[in-house]
Amino acid sequence: MDVRKISTLAMFIALSAVGAAIKIPSIVGSLALDSFPALIAGVLLGPINGGIVAGLGTLISAIISGMPLGPLHFIIVLEMFILVWMFCTLYNTSQKLGAVTLFLVGNALIAPLPFMFIISTSFYIALLPSLITATVINLVIAVILMPKLVPILKRLIFKAGHDS
C-alpha cells in the first residue's frame, strides 16, 4: 500500500472518529454515525480496508461512550468488520441493492442477536429502534455520497503511474 492509500485510510478512520462523536440515544448509551466513512472507504480502497475503518470507528465510538458493554464491544468490532467487508464486496460487484439490504438487515437485526442470548431478549428489543435508525442514516449518507465522491477520490489517489 502506498502513501496515498495509507493517508486516505487514515482520513477515513478520522472521519469515522468524528462520526463516532455524533450520537443517537439508545438503551446502550448511544449509537453513532461512524459506519458511513467505512462503507465509502471500503468501496474506494477495498473491502478489507473498509472493514478496518469500521472496526476502528466502532471501537472509537465505544470508547467515547465509556464502553458500556465492556469487552463485549469487541464482538461488535468484529461484526462491523465483517458487515462492511461483505457490503463492499457486493457493492463493488454492482450488487448495490443487495449490499444495502445486507448491511441494513445485518447491522440492525442480525449483529445484535448475540446480545439477546448474552444479556436478554428485552435488551435486544429495546436496542432495535435506535439501531435501525442509526443504520438507515449511515446507509443514506453513504449511498448519497458514494456515486459522486468515490470517482473523484479515485482520480486523486490512483493517479497515472501509481499502482491501483
Side-chain angles (χ1 to χ4, degrees):
M1 191 178 273
D2 69 13
V3 174
R4 289 177 197 227
K5 290 180 191 173
I6 292 170
S7 297
T8 305
L9 185 63
M11 177 188 70
F12 278 107
I13 291 168
L15 286 171
S16 190
V18 170
I22 302 170
K23 300 293 192 175
I24 296 170
S26 83
I27 191 168
V28 194
S30 59
L31 301 167
L33 299 181
D34 58 350
S35 299
F36 79 87
L39 298 173
I40 295 169
V43 169
L44 178 66
L45 300 171
I48 291 175
N49 290 319
I52 291 169
V53 173
L56 290 174
T58 299
L59 188 57
I60 291 166
S61 182
I63 291 167
I64 289 172
S65 295
M67 299 281 285
L69 295 175
L72 295 177
H73 281 287
F74 292 104
I75 293 172
I76 301 168
V77 167
L78 179 62
E79 289 173 335
M80 288 307 298
F81 178 92
I82 292 168
L83 277 169
V84 169
W85 176 79
M86 291 170 62
F87 171 90
C88 296
T89 300
L90 285 174
Y91 193 93
N92 287 335
T93 58
S94 297
Q95 297 177 41
K96 292 174 177 54
L97 182 60
V100 168
T101 303
L102 171 103
F103 191 79
L104 178 61
V105 172
N107 193 50
L109 302 174
I110 297 171
L113 275 176
F115 300 101
M116 183 167 64
F117 302 105
I118 296 169
I119 299 173
S120 74
T121 302
S122 299
F123 177 82
Y124 173 81
I125 293 168
L127 186 60
L128 289 181
S130 54
L131 192 52
I132 291 168
T133 302
T135 302
V136 168
I137 292 170
N138 275 293
L139 273 170
V140 166
I141 293 169
V143 168
I144 289 171
L145 291 179
M146 276 190 283
K148 299 290 183 191
L149 192 60
V150 169
I152 293 167
L153 290 174
K154 277 187 179 179
R155 280 195 305 273
L156 292 172
I157 298 164
F158 305 114
K159 285 186 175 180
H162 289 83
D163 293 331
S164 55

